[in-house]
Amino acid sequence: MRRKGGSAGNENQFVDIWRRFKRNKAAVVGLVVFMFIVLMALSADLFFNYEEDVIKQNAMERFQGPSAEHLLGTDQYGRDMLARIVYGARMSLLISLSVTVLGTIPGLVIGFVAGYFGGKLDSVLMRICDMFMAIPALLMAITIVAALGPSVTNLIIALSISGVPSTARFTRSMVLRLRGEEFIESARAVGTGDLRIMYKHIFPNIVSLTIVNATLSLGSMILASAGLSFIGLGVQPPTPEWGTMLSNARNYFTDHPALLLLPGAAILITVLSVNLFGDGLRDALDPKMK
Amino acid sequence: MLKYILRRLLIMLPIILGIIFIVFSILEFTPGDPVSMILGQDATPELIELKREELGLNEPFLKRYVTYVLNVLQGDFGNMYASGNSVGEAIARRLPVTLELSILSILLAVIVGIPLGVLSAVKQYSVIDIFSILFAMILSAMPGFWLGLMLILVFSTKLGWFPSFGVGDGLRSFVLPCITLSASYTAVIVRMTRSCMLEVISQDYVRTARAKGATEGRIIGKHALRNAMMPVLTTVGMYFGALMGGAVIAETVFSLPGLGTLLVSGITAKDTPTVLGCVTVIATSISLINLAVDVAYAYIDPRIKAQYASMGLVKVKAREQR
């Protein structure tokens, strides 16, 4: 499993991982469903007109049931539900993917520095992480959005920041474990510089776990962004986002349960597929680690 | 033991000061002036200046931070900008609701999650195992607020069994919010209990107990469960923070007069003292819960108690390593 620098066995390794991944039926289903959602979000413009179907209100067509014209019916403003859910997927994926990337990279750097150099720097960085982690991630995100004002960009910033400390801690623990290994020591013995050791010898060994971790956090980021949008601190109407749609449906859902069921089901299916895929990826990368 | 608790409380102090500092800075260095929020758009510059002076906003940042911390240590969280009401009183009034909500939710999650996880592990690959894995998977992929709204739709609007908002109905008011809040927590506990039990069941001492002719109930209850509970307990403590975050959303869904709704209203009004007070109190209670979990360890596991007796900080170190 462990690659000790170099890239000789790279291709083999991916084939190996894929072979193990394929055996996990649930994970494959998760991957297929997630791919479908991503494709749907990417190709939304081919099927719908954003201004016409998603934003423009149409008082004549409120609360319609499913029909040939509106496959999933219409909402409280007569807008096509399917179109709004598809564009909602675009929003959710955009937010959660950017948050996962933007939250992981600084966390990786901090964890690397703390774990590799150790000493005082490590203590200071970890105490700061402790403080950040004493505030629940969601609460942290709420506070930051509150301070910056609700918008998509600020939501992404807030969720990214709230994800940094845990990534930093996770990375640090992996780096700490590797630092004592013999192959690092031998690299140092032949005079390899710190940066090169980090990049060539440690990084390849933690990259797979980092990717798994990021995948597993993707689902919770989708949930968190929907939650923040729901309490009015995320995506603002009329931009379609699943949490915002649910929040706006609050006054109508007793008479029109579809307004509640559809966006919620969209979140559930997306998060479920991401989680199944993430679990499968984790097991495939390292069968020992459950 | 007491010495250990005291020591941990001392370590907690700088962390809480740090939390206040972080939240203080976030609210300080972001755009948006609370004074113009209070006085409205057409306030004259003189009026704004007067109000700033009155609220002490003209003092340097660090000085205000120190003043705030000193006040908090004496139980004074300041006054709300808009109404002038005491933040401390509002928190004291609302904290019980949040505490009741979160404690009941934890209890519910533990009562449902642990037996389900144990059953699932003992009867691995059976129908009940598959059911509980699916159950946990769906609960953890479901947004809490959506579950809450669905519960309202079914159990308040359609069936009229439970109220859909407020706390006017005693315990009955807490049924739906607790289910909502405990859902993802239950999922975590089921999964954690299952995997820990599976690991413990395959250990030698369980086989020994079987060989000695101990009944299955005794093996599971006395030998396996007690050892499997350690990581589960850690998880319960670790996720308490996430639970408090979720409480904000659950309280919003059910309009409960708790800390979460106070926080959200403070945020919308850009009322710094309210936001600071709420976050401080929530973060402090999380630290206290973590301490309680560490102490509970000692009661479950005699080995750790022995460790405390010799060197007080072993466990803290062990946690840092992870």
Side-chain angles (χ1 to χ4, degrees):
Chain A
M1 175 67 225
R2 185 169 284 156
R3 288 187 308 183
K4 303 196 169 170
S7 56
N10 248 355
E11 208 160 301
N12 250 334
Q13 196 195 5
F14 283 120
V15 174
D16 243 28
I17 292 169
W18 175 243
R19 199 171 39 77
R20 279 197 296 264
F21 182 81
K22 249 186 349 191
R23 254 186 267 146
N24 186 341
K25 292 282 174 296
V28 174
V29 172
L31 177 63
V32 169
V33 173
F34 185 61
M35 279 312 171
F36 174 74
I37 295 169
V38 171
L39 274 179
M40 194 180 72
L42 287 177
S43 59
D45 290 328
L46 295 179
F47 302 105
F48 302 104
N49 181 324
Y50 187 72
E51 283 302 323
E52 280 294 312
D53 298 322
V54 179
I55 300 297
K56 200 178 123 203
Q57 305 191 359
N58 194 342
M60 303 294 289
E61 299 191 346
R62 301 174 71 202
F63 303 121
Q64 282 188 1
S67 64
E69 200 185 341
H70 302 292
L71 283 177
L72 293 177
T74 58
D75 71 356
Q76 65 271 29
Y77 297 117
R79 298 173 297 199
D80 187 66
M81 277 302 271
L82 182 62
R84 285 184 68 75
I85 285 182
V86 170
Y87 276 92
R90 187 179 265 199
M91 207 48 168
S92 277
L93 293 177
L94 171 79
I95 294 173
S96 52
L97 285 172
S98 359
V99 166
T100 307
V101 173
L102 292 178
T104 301
I105 293 171
L108 207 59
V109 173
I110 296 173
F112 238 105
V113 170
Y116 189 80
F117 293 108
K120 278 232 167 59
L121 186 64
D122 179 33
S123 308
V124 170
L125 286 174
M126 284 307 111
R127 285 302 83 73
I128 295 174
C129 273
D130 279 348
M131 283 169 200
F132 270 92
M133 282 174 85
I135 309 175
L138 191 61
L139 207 60
M140 189 76 204
I142 290 176
T143 316
I144 298 172
V145 176
L148 296 175
S151 77
V152 177
T153 323
N154 294 344
L155 180 68
I156 292 176
I157 295 174
L159 286 174
S160 305
I161 294 178
S162 68
V164 169
S166 53
T167 316
R169 265 201 168 280
F170 181 71
T171 310
R172 172 181 175 267
S173 71
M174 288 191 296
V175 174
L176 266 185
R177 227 186 8 238
L178 284 171
R179 200 177 56 173
E181 296 270 338
E182 278 150 13
F183 70 95
I184 301 289
E185 245 167 73
S186 51
R188 197 166 304 156
V190 297
T192 318
D194 283 334
L195 270 176
R196 198 179 157 78
I197 292 182
M198 282 197 232
Y199 174 68
K200 273 283 183 191
H201 298 276
I202 298 184
F203 186 66
N205 278 304
I206 66 169
V207 70
S208 54
L209 278 184
T210 304
I211 290 172
V212 169
N213 226 33
T215 316
L216 287 173
S217 79
L218 194 60
S220 52
M221 283 310 149
I222 296 176
L223 289 178
S225 69
L228 284 173
S229 295
F230 177 76
I231 55 175
L233 293 176
V235 181
Q236 299 299 309
T239 311
E241 198 271 350
W242 297 332
T244 316
M245 286 166 75
L246 284 169
S247 165
N248 294 340
R250 280 182 82 173
N251 295 327
Y252 311 99
F253 74 79
T254 44
D255 295 320
H256 306 279
L259 295 186
L260 175 63
L261 287 173
L262 295 173
I267 302 177
L268 178 65
I269 293 170
T270 311
V271 177
L272 201 57
S273 67
V274 173
N275 285 354
L276 286 174
F277 168 60
D279 283 344
L281 195 62
R282 180 193 55 195
D283 296 346
L285 278 173
D286 190 353
K288 291 189 302 280
M289 191 186 73
K290 272 268 184 177
Chain B
M1 198 67 209
L2 193 69
K3 210 170 129 196
Y4 169 74
I5 295 175
L6 282 177
R7 208 153 165 188
R8 283 292 304 273
L9 282 173
L10 270 182
I11 298 176
M12 235 177 80
L13 198 67
I15 295 216
I16 288 167
L17 292 185
I19 292 166
I20 300 179
F21 186 77
I22 289 170
V23 181
F24 209 87
S25 332
I26 291 175
L27 295 173
E28 171 77 17
F29 295 115
T30 44
D33 182 17
V35 175
S36 44
M37 284 281 287
I38 303 168
L39 296 176
Q41 287 294 321
D42 39 45
T44 59
E46 293 82 35
L47 217 58
I48 289 183
E49 197 44 45
L50 218 67
K51 191 78 181 172
R52 286 189 72 86
E53 198 62 49
E54 184 194 324
L55 294 172
L57 289 175
N58 284 341
E59 303 284 342
F61 170 73
L62 274 178
K63 191 174 171 202
R64 282 194 292 126
Y65 169 69
V66 173
T67 319
Y68 181 77
V69 168
L70 289 176
N71 285 341
V72 165
L73 289 179
Q74 294 162 24
D76 177 13
F77 286 90
N79 295 327
M80 293 182 193
Y81 283 157
S83 59
N85 293 338
S86 152
V87 175
E89 271 170 34
I91 290 177
R93 204 161 0 99
R94 282 156 170 268
L95 186 61
V97 175
T98 304
L99 280 183
E100 190 171 352
L101 175 68
S102 35
I103 290 171
L104 287 175
S105 300
I106 293 181
L107 282 180
L108 184 66
V110 166
I111 291 170
V112 175
I114 291 182
L116 212 53
V118 171
L119 267 180
S120 174
V122 172
K123 305 229 178 297
Q124 201 184 0
Y125 305 126
S126 68
V127 178
I128 186 147
D129 185 27
I130 293 166
F131 165 77
S132 53
I133 291 174
L134 275 178
F135 179 71
M137 215 182 275
I138 289 175
L139 280 191
S140 61
M142 195 185 271
F145 60 92
W146 183 55
L147 177 63
L149 292 173
M150 304 258 278
L151 291 172
I152 291 181
L153 181 64
V154 176
F155 293 103
S156 328
T157 317
K158 294 271 189 283
L159 297 171
W161 290 357
F162 302 105
S164 64
F165 67 93
V167 287
D169 231 353
L171 259 186
R172 268 164 46 112
S173 322
F174 281 98
V175 174
L176 299 184
C178 281
I179 298 176
T180 305
L181 186 53
S182 66
S184 59
Y185 212 49
T186 311
V188 172
I189 293 182
V190 169
R191 256 192 244 147
M192 198 69 199
T193 312
R194 179 176 182 272
S195 65
C196 292
M197 276 303 273
L198 282 177
E199 204 178 311
V200 170
I201 286 175
S202 64
Q203 301 266 319
D204 285 344
Y205 62 83
V206 172
R207 200 189 309 148
T208 311
R210 277 217 177 91
K212 283 196 312 189
T215 58
E216 195 62 26
R218 197 181 151 79
I219 291 168
I220 298 301
K222 196 74 181 154
H223 296 278
L225 192 59
R226 207 163 156 166
N227 281 295
M229 275 308 94
M230 304 294 297
V232 175
L233 194 65
T234 317
T235 318
V236 171
M238 241 164 53
Y239 277 79
F240 183 76
L243 185 91
M244 291 298 264
V248 176
I249 288 173
E251 284 175 15
T252 313
V253 173
F254 291 95
S255 319
L256 299 184
L259 276 188
T261 37
L262 181 68
L263 176 65
V264 172
S265 70
I267 285 170
T268 353
K270 213 155 195 325
D271 198 310
T272 316
T274 312
V275 177
L276 258 177
C278 289
V279 176
T280 308
V281 170
I282 293 174
T284 310
S285 47
I286 291 168
S287 308
L288 283 173
I289 291 285
N290 282 331
L291 174 59
V293 169
D294 283 351
V295 173
Y297 262 129
Y299 285 94
I300 295 190
D301 194 338
R303 282 171 299 188
I304 291 177
K305 201 169 189 172
Q307 268 177 9
Y308 283 156
S310 51
M311 41 213 291
L313 283 171
V314 168
K315 247 202 51 55
V316 185
K317 290 260 166 58
R319 263 167 55 134
E320 274 165 18
Q321 301 279 307
R322 231 185 296 134

